[in-house]
Amino acid sequence: MEKAIDRQQVLLQHLRPSPSSAAGGSPLILASFCTASDSAAYQRNACFGDDVVVVAAYRTAICKSEIGGFKDIYPKELLTAELKALLDKTSLNPNEVGDIVVGAVLAPGSQRATEFKMAAFYAGFPETVPVRTVNRQFSSGLQAVADVAAAIKAGFYDIGKNILVYHFYACIIVPGIGAGLESMTANMLSWEGSINPKVNKFQKAQDCLLPMGITSENVAYQFGVARQEQDQAAVESHMKAAAATASGKFKEEIIPVTTKIVDPKTGDEMQVTISVVDGI
């Protein structure tokens, strides 16, 4: 917190009014501790300098879009399950968490931010723990992790939360709950609303509308990666993932989620608990 206060004092020197604008020459603006949450007011006494340590990581199973085990669940329910599991498994006091940062790309920003705040409430976090979203496209979850780590090092809070939920994938890291959540069932890859015709005059602006597949082709071309090499790497990766799944190596990190499966033809509902990926 000392570092943050020092930076604030420097900024205040630029904002401080002249003696004639304040009675007796006293400043009109004063530095103070941020009390956005209970933990923000605690005195900072870091024993290990700027070390930021990951102490827990969990995720949900990964399921197929529109036909998988999570096709009928609300995305925020996945986040709720992960947050609740984190508290249960680590005995973390939710009142001591400084921030929850969640990466999200596809859904409307304000709507998803509201959903994530609801998820935090469902999981047992008080209203004093802030929640925000970050969008850096396909690295949003990583950016959330980076944001939390940077905030801890800067002294804004001691414990944050970083949750990575990518297409029904969730990973929670403490200190620093940083997250990313995408539902390809609820939010498809599509542009909503009209596109400014101005985009036709700027090639780089047009390129922003290209699918991710083009990026992989460009990277392969730039670094000379042949199709055969890519296929071989994919086969080896799938074989390792299948072997790890079969031997139960992922069991401890996957949080079982109880949800419902709705038969699209009859409308009948069946309760299921998803703890294994739909496929490799």
Side-chain angles (χ1 to χ4, degrees):
M1 179 58 74
E2 274 185 51
K3 293 180 181 178
I5 292 296
D6 288 342
R7 294 190 185 101
Q8 194 178 36
Q9 291 287 6
V10 172
L11 292 174
L12 289 174
Q13 293 302 320
H14 298 289
L15 298 173
R16 198 179 300 279
S18 62
S20 61
S21 62
S26 61
L28 298 179
I29 306 176
L30 298 174
S32 62
F33 285 92
C34 173
T35 55
S37 68
D38 291 345
S39 66
Y42 293 165
Q43 183 63 36
R44 301 300 188 255
N45 293 304
C47 298
F48 302 101
D50 288 336
D51 286 353
V52 177
V53 182
V54 176
V55 299
Y58 303 105
R59 67 180 176 95
T60 66
I62 304 172
C63 297
K64 297 176 181 178
S65 173
E66 298 187 330
I67 61 173
F70 289 141
K71 72 181 184 68
D72 297 309
I73 196 173
Y74 288 104
K76 61 175 173 288
E77 295 296 335
L78 293 171
L79 183 58
T80 299
E82 290 299 321
L83 290 172
K84 183 67 168 61
L86 177 69
L87 296 179
D88 293 342
K89 289 178 174 291
T90 64
S91 298
L92 175 70
N93 182 349
N95 294 287
E96 295 181 355
V97 174
D99 204 0
I100 298 177
V101 184
V102 188
V105 178
L106 300 179
S110 58
Q111 174 183 323
R112 187 115 294 175
T114 300
E115 289 180 319
F116 293 161
K117 188 64 175 179
M118 292 177 180
F121 285 142
Y122 294 149
F125 287 88
E127 67 277 3
T128 52
V129 177
V131 178
R132 69 178 174 89
T133 61
V134 59
N135 183 347
R136 194 181 280 279
Q137 296 299 300
F138 289 89
S139 60
S140 297
L142 292 176
Q143 186 61 56
V145 174
D147 284 1
V148 170
I152 291 173
K153 293 184 71 172
F156 285 109
Y157 46 78
D158 292 328
I159 300 178
K161 291 192 176 299
N162 207 325
I163 307 159
L164 175 58
V165 186
Y166 182 72
H167 186 14
F168 301 130
Y169 172 83
C171 169
I172 302 183
I173 306 170
V174 181
I177 293 186
L181 191 151
E182 301 296 352
S183 169
M184 298 296 289
T185 300
N187 307 105
M188 298 300 291
L189 281 168
S190 60
W191 185 279
E192 297 182 11
S194 59
I195 299 175
N196 192 328
K198 184 179 180 179
V199 73
N200 296 321
K201 299 179 181 179
F202 296 90
Q203 185 59 49
K204 289 185 177 180
Q206 288 186 49
D207 291 345
C208 293
L209 303 175
L210 292 174
M212 194 66 176
I214 303 299
T215 297
S216 61
E217 292 181 358
N218 290 339
V219 171
Y221 175 79
Q222 180 179 349
F223 293 98
V225 183
R227 175 59 184 266
Q228 185 177 357
E229 293 178 89
Q230 296 180 60
D231 289 345
Q232 183 62 35
V235 170
E236 293 176 0
S237 177
H238 275 62
M239 290 176 64
K240 292 177 182 178
T245 300
S247 63
K249 291 186 181 294
F250 299 136
K251 186 176 180 179
E252 293 301 318
E253 69 184 49
I254 295 179
I255 301 301
V257 178
T258 299
T259 182
K260 65 180 180 180
I261 296 292
V262 180
D263 188 314
K265 295 182 179 179
T266 65
D268 294 337
E269 296 183 5
M270 177 177 64
Q271 189 178 70
V272 296
T273 298
I274 307 297
S275 59
V276 181
V277 297
D278 281 350
I280 302 301

